[in-house]
Amino acid sequence: MPHINAAAALQICVLLSALPAQYFISRWYGTDSAQRIQITERLIIASWSSFTKSCLSWDAWADRLKLWLSKTRTCLNAGLLILHFRNWYYGEKKTKIGDSEAETHSYFAESTHVRSPKPEYIQFSVGQVIGHKRFGYSGVIVGWDVKAKAPEEWLQHKYPPAKQGLKDTPHYRILINKANGYGKSTAYVPEEEITIIMGVEVVHHPDMKAYFSGYDGSKYIMQPWLKKIYPHD
């Protein structure tokens, strides 16, 4: 059964209170008993008729039900509209962010594409400790590309016309040893600029544990997720 709203409840209370109110008014204004009986009867009949029309009538309840369903449907439609808009907005935003991240992570040897088979001309492996020939810092290899993968603007800045050929050579992503005091924490360098450091060389970098689980005396041991990307290193 539909819920009785405040207006209907107030109407019922007014009708029910009319009988005692009329009784006391007629008593104090000196009507005789016969008149009071007639007034009371008329009041009862009128009250009952109004009550049945407003509360016991199927038509009245049907009207209330229609009104309630109309309000409910309006609220539901509004809620669905808001929900669709929210899903569209955040879904679109998430897609754009996801595309941006995917594009960014395909650069600088950060792609999760499995490097298999490993080309024979890739001289170095993930986990090996290297030294930079020109800048002198040491570091550890955490990824490689068969050729430079970076934004075009970066490549143009990094390789002027005289060095354009380096773009098509293997490139390595390096975690730079913090102990060297070098300003940068990572580097993306061509193969010809680095050399392998023989012997024990401890690399200090806050991201080491994310990439490696330990050191075997000659190279750092890749974490399982990294080993899946470079299964032949």
Side-chain angles (χ1 to χ4, degrees):
M1 183 177 292
H3 180 70
I4 299 176
N5 57 30
L10 180 60
Q11 183 180 7
I12 294 172
C13 293
V14 171
L15 292 173
L16 293 178
S17 63
L19 179 60
Q22 182 64 34
Y23 172 75
F24 287 111
I25 290 172
S26 62
R27 178 178 181 182
W28 286 104
Y29 280 86
T31 55
D32 57 24
S33 59
Q35 289 176 330
R36 288 199 296 270
I37 292 173
Q38 291 178 359
I39 292 173
T40 302
E41 289 176 349
R42 288 197 298 269
L43 182 59
I44 292 174
I45 293 172
S47 300
W48 177 254
S49 176
S50 177
F51 176 75
T52 55
K53 287 181 180 180
S54 61
C55 298
L56 300 183
S57 170
W58 286 110
D59 292 336
W61 283 111
D63 291 339
R64 290 193 181 94
L65 181 60
K66 289 178 182 179
L67 179 61
W68 179 78
L69 289 175
S70 176
K71 292 181 179 179
T72 303
R73 189 160 48 244
T74 300
C75 293
L76 181 60
N77 290 339
L80 289 175
L81 181 62
I82 293 172
L83 181 61
H84 284 313
F85 176 78
R86 180 182 181 276
N87 289 341
W88 170 83
Y89 175 77
Y90 285 105
E92 186 75 12
K93 186 175 182 181
K94 183 177 180 181
T95 300
K96 290 180 179 178
I97 293 175
D99 292 343
S100 176
E101 289 177 347
E103 183 181 357
T104 300
H105 289 174
S106 67
Y107 294 146
F108 306 114
E110 288 190 298
S111 171
T112 56
H113 172 71
V114 177
R115 311 306 203 273
S116 180
K118 183 179 180 178
E120 294 182 0
Y121 56 83
I122 302 293
Q123 297 184 32
F124 307 139
S125 300
V126 174
Q128 285 185 306
V129 179
I130 60 90
H132 196 280
K133 295 178 180 179
R134 289 193 296 125
F135 299 135
Y137 62 75
S138 62
V140 59
I141 298 172
V142 294
W144 52 259
D145 293 318
V146 294
K147 63 179 181 178
K149 290 186 178 180
E152 188 61 32
E153 297 81 1
W154 187 91
L155 291 172
Q156 290 178 3
H157 176 75
K158 177 76 173 179
Y159 300 116
K163 293 185 177 181
Q164 285 292 302
L166 287 177
K167 294 192 299 183
D168 296 325
T169 64
H171 277 61
Y172 298 82
R173 180 173 178 82
I174 310 298
L175 295 185
I176 299 175
N177 192 352
K178 289 292 185 180
N180 300 154
Y182 194 71
K184 296 181 180 180
S185 62
T186 61
Y188 187 62
V189 296
E191 190 171 82
E192 73 165 26
E193 293 185 356
I194 59 176
T195 184
I196 295 299
I197 295 178
M198 305 305 294
V200 178
E201 174 75 11
V202 178
V203 177
H204 299 278
H205 193 283
D207 295 335
M208 287 295 290
K209 290 185 178 180
Y211 290 93
F212 306 108
S213 60
Y215 185 73
D216 66 3
S218 62
K219 62 183 293 188
Y220 283 92
I221 303 170
M222 288 183 280
Q223 294 283 10
W225 70 267
L226 191 59
K227 184 64 177 178
K228 289 181 181 179
I229 301 174
Y230 299 94
H232 307 297
D233 281 30

mmCIF file of all heavy atoms in Angstrom, residues 15 23 47 68 86 94 103 107 110 112 148 172 182 205:
data_model
loop_
_atom_site.group_PDB
_atom_site.id
_atom_site.type_symbol
_atom_site.label_atom_id
_atom_site.label_comp_id
_atom_site.label_asym_id
_atom_site.label_seq_id
_atom_site.Cartn_x
_atom_site.Cartn_y
_atom_site.Cartn_z
ATOM 1 N N LEU A 15 -10.258 16.000 10.103
ATOM 2 C CA LEU A 15 -11.597 15.426 10.028
ATOM 3 C C LEU A 15 -11.984 14.717 11.324
ATOM 4 O O LEU A 15 -13.123 14.818 11.803
ATOM 5 C CB LEU A 15 -11.670 14.448 8.854
ATOM 6 C CG LEU A 15 -11.581 15.082 7.448
ATOM 7 C CD1 LEU A 15 -11.500 13.998 6.385
ATOM 8 C CD2 LEU A 15 -12.801 15.973 7.201
ATOM 9 N N TYR A 23 -18.952 19.198 18.954
ATOM 10 C CA TYR A 23 -19.720 18.840 20.143
ATOM 11 C C TYR A 23 -19.569 19.908 21.230
ATOM 12 O O TYR A 23 -20.554 20.379 21.801
ATOM 13 C CB TYR A 23 -19.263 17.483 20.670
ATOM 14 C CG TYR A 23 -19.888 17.138 22.010
ATOM 15 C CD1 TYR A 23 -21.221 16.729 22.108
ATOM 16 C CD2 TYR A 23 -19.113 17.225 23.168
ATOM 17 C CE1 TYR A 23 -21.766 16.429 23.350
ATOM 18 C CE2 TYR A 23 -19.657 16.938 24.393
ATOM 19 C CZ TYR A 23 -20.993 16.531 24.483
ATOM 20 O OH TYR A 23 -21.535 16.249 25.708
ATOM 21 N N SER A 47 -18.038 13.497 7.934
ATOM 22 C CA SER A 47 -16.671 13.063 8.201
ATOM 23 C C SER A 47 -16.394 11.703 7.590
ATOM 24 O O SER A 47 -15.329 11.476 7.000
ATOM 25 C CB SER A 47 -16.414 13.036 9.713
ATOM 26 O OG SER A 47 -16.592 14.308 10.274
ATOM 27 N N TRP A 68 3.192 8.986 -6.853
ATOM 28 C CA TRP A 68 4.402 8.427 -6.249
ATOM 29 C C TRP A 68 5.312 7.804 -7.305
ATOM 30 O O TRP A 68 6.524 7.994 -7.304
ATOM 31 C CB TRP A 68 4.012 7.408 -5.201
ATOM 32 C CG TRP A 68 5.182 6.751 -4.532
ATOM 33 C CD1 TRP A 68 5.965 7.256 -3.559
ATOM 34 C CD2 TRP A 68 5.702 5.434 -4.825
ATOM 35 N NE1 TRP A 68 6.934 6.364 -3.200
ATOM 36 C CE2 TRP A 68 6.805 5.231 -3.961
ATOM 37 C CE3 TRP A 68 5.336 4.426 -5.706
ATOM 38 C CZ2 TRP A 68 7.532 4.063 -3.976
ATOM 39 C CZ3 TRP A 68 6.073 3.257 -5.725
ATOM 40 C CH2 TRP A 68 7.152 3.078 -4.867
ATOM 41 N N ARG A 86 28.708 10.370 -14.983
ATOM 42 C CA ARG A 86 29.885 10.103 -14.154
ATOM 43 C C ARG A 86 30.748 9.019 -14.780
ATOM 44 O O ARG A 86 31.967 9.136 -14.862
ATOM 45 C CB ARG A 86 29.444 9.681 -12.753
ATOM 46 C CG ARG A 86 30.592 9.381 -11.808
ATOM 47 C CD ARG A 86 30.055 8.924 -10.466
ATOM 48 N NE ARG A 86 31.138 8.646 -9.547
ATOM 49 C CZ ARG A 86 31.793 7.496 -9.508
ATOM 50 N NH1 ARG A 86 31.482 6.527 -10.349
ATOM 51 N NH2 ARG A 86 32.765 7.310 -8.631
ATOM 52 N N LYS A 94 39.943 8.135 -17.568
ATOM 53 C CA LYS A 94 40.822 6.989 -17.318
ATOM 54 C C LYS A 94 41.452 6.503 -18.616
ATOM 55 O O LYS A 94 42.629 6.142 -18.661
ATOM 56 C CB LYS A 94 40.018 5.870 -16.662
ATOM 57 C CG LYS A 94 40.864 4.655 -16.293
ATOM 58 C CD LYS A 94 40.008 3.622 -15.591
ATOM 59 C CE LYS A 94 40.833 2.400 -15.210
ATOM 60 N NZ LYS A 94 40.026 1.373 -14.548
ATOM 61 N N GLU A 103 51.770 5.161 -23.735
ATOM 62 C CA GLU A 103 52.690 5.798 -24.664
ATOM 63 C C GLU A 103 54.007 6.138 -23.977
ATOM 64 O O GLU A 103 55.088 5.929 -24.524
ATOM 65 C CB GLU A 103 52.041 7.068 -25.221
ATOM 66 C CG GLU A 103 52.895 7.779 -26.256
ATOM 67 C CD GLU A 103 52.234 9.033 -26.769
ATOM 68 O OE1 GLU A 103 51.102 9.323 -26.363
ATOM 69 O OE2 GLU A 103 52.868 9.730 -27.597
ATOM 70 N N TYR A 107 58.590 4.204 -24.088
ATOM 71 C CA TYR A 107 59.850 4.892 -24.322
ATOM 72 C C TYR A 107 60.916 4.471 -23.309
ATOM 73 O O TYR A 107 60.614 3.949 -22.240
ATOM 74 C CB TYR A 107 59.665 6.405 -24.224
ATOM 75 C CG TYR A 107 58.791 7.016 -25.299
ATOM 76 C CD1 TYR A 107 57.968 8.111 -25.004
ATOM 77 C CD2 TYR A 107 58.776 6.519 -26.604
ATOM 78 C CE1 TYR A 107 57.166 8.686 -25.988
ATOM 79 C CE2 TYR A 107 57.985 7.085 -27.577
ATOM 80 C CZ TYR A 107 57.177 8.177 -27.266
ATOM 81 O OH TYR A 107 56.394 8.734 -28.235
ATOM 82 N N GLU A 110 61.221 1.124 -21.193
ATOM 83 C CA GLU A 110 60.257 0.825 -20.139
ATOM 84 C C GLU A 110 59.085 -0.027 -20.637
ATOM 85 O O GLU A 110 58.184 -0.348 -19.870
ATOM 86 C CB GLU A 110 59.723 2.117 -19.534
ATOM 87 C CG GLU A 110 60.724 2.857 -18.678
ATOM 88 C CD GLU A 110 60.090 3.996 -17.915
ATOM 89 O OE1 GLU A 110 59.573 4.927 -18.559
ATOM 90 O OE2 GLU A 110 60.104 3.953 -16.671
ATOM 91 N N THR A 112 56.862 -3.155 -21.572
ATOM 92 C CA THR A 112 56.767 -4.504 -20.997
ATOM 93 C C THR A 112 56.735 -5.583 -22.083
ATOM 94 O O THR A 112 56.481 -6.752 -21.790
ATOM 95 C CB THR A 112 55.519 -4.623 -20.118
ATOM 96 O OG1 THR A 112 54.354 -4.287 -20.896
ATOM 97 C CG2 THR A 112 55.600 -3.693 -18.915
ATOM 98 N N ALA A 148 66.877 3.127 -30.372
ATOM 99 C CA ALA A 148 66.341 4.155 -29.479
ATOM 100 C C ALA A 148 64.829 4.319 -29.656
ATOM 101 O O ALA A 148 64.342 4.483 -30.779
ATOM 102 C CB ALA A 148 67.040 5.483 -29.736
ATOM 103 N N TYR A 172 70.259 1.425 -23.750
ATOM 104 C CA TYR A 172 70.084 0.806 -22.437
ATOM 105 C C TYR A 172 69.579 1.827 -21.421
ATOM 106 O O TYR A 172 70.026 2.985 -21.408
ATOM 107 C CB TYR A 172 71.417 0.222 -21.950
ATOM 108 C CG TYR A 172 71.965 -0.865 -22.844
ATOM 109 C CD1 TYR A 172 72.682 -0.546 -23.994
ATOM 110 C CD2 TYR A 172 71.746 -2.202 -22.541
ATOM 111 C CE1 TYR A 172 73.179 -1.536 -24.814
ATOM 112 C CE2 TYR A 172 72.242 -3.204 -23.370
ATOM 113 C CZ TYR A 172 72.947 -2.866 -24.508
ATOM 114 O OH TYR A 172 73.442 -3.862 -25.334
ATOM 115 N N TYR A 182 76.434 11.854 -9.095
ATOM 116 C CA TYR A 182 75.996 12.388 -10.383
ATOM 117 C C TYR A 182 74.603 12.989 -10.225
ATOM 118 O O TYR A 182 73.776 12.513 -9.444
ATOM 119 C CB TYR A 182 75.996 11.258 -11.421
ATOM 120 C CG TYR A 182 75.878 11.721 -12.846
ATOM 121 C CD1 TYR A 182 76.932 12.385 -13.475
ATOM 122 C CD2 TYR A 182 74.712 11.493 -13.566
ATOM 123 C CE1 TYR A 182 76.831 12.801 -14.799
ATOM 124 C CE2 TYR A 182 74.599 11.904 -14.889
ATOM 125 C CZ TYR A 182 75.656 12.560 -15.501
ATOM 126 O OH TYR A 182 75.545 12.987 -16.807
ATOM 127 N N HIS A 205 70.914 2.765 -5.191
ATOM 128 C CA HIS A 205 69.810 3.479 -5.860
ATOM 129 C C HIS A 205 68.512 3.083 -5.154
ATOM 130 O O HIS A 205 68.329 1.898 -4.811
ATOM 131 C CB HIS A 205 69.741 3.117 -7.347
ATOM 132 C CG HIS A 205 68.854 4.017 -8.147
ATOM 133 N ND1 HIS A 205 67.480 3.923 -8.125
ATOM 134 C CD2 HIS A 205 69.157 5.044 -8.993
ATOM 135 C CE1 HIS A 205 66.974 4.844 -8.942
ATOM 136 N NE2 HIS A 205 67.972 5.541 -9.471
#
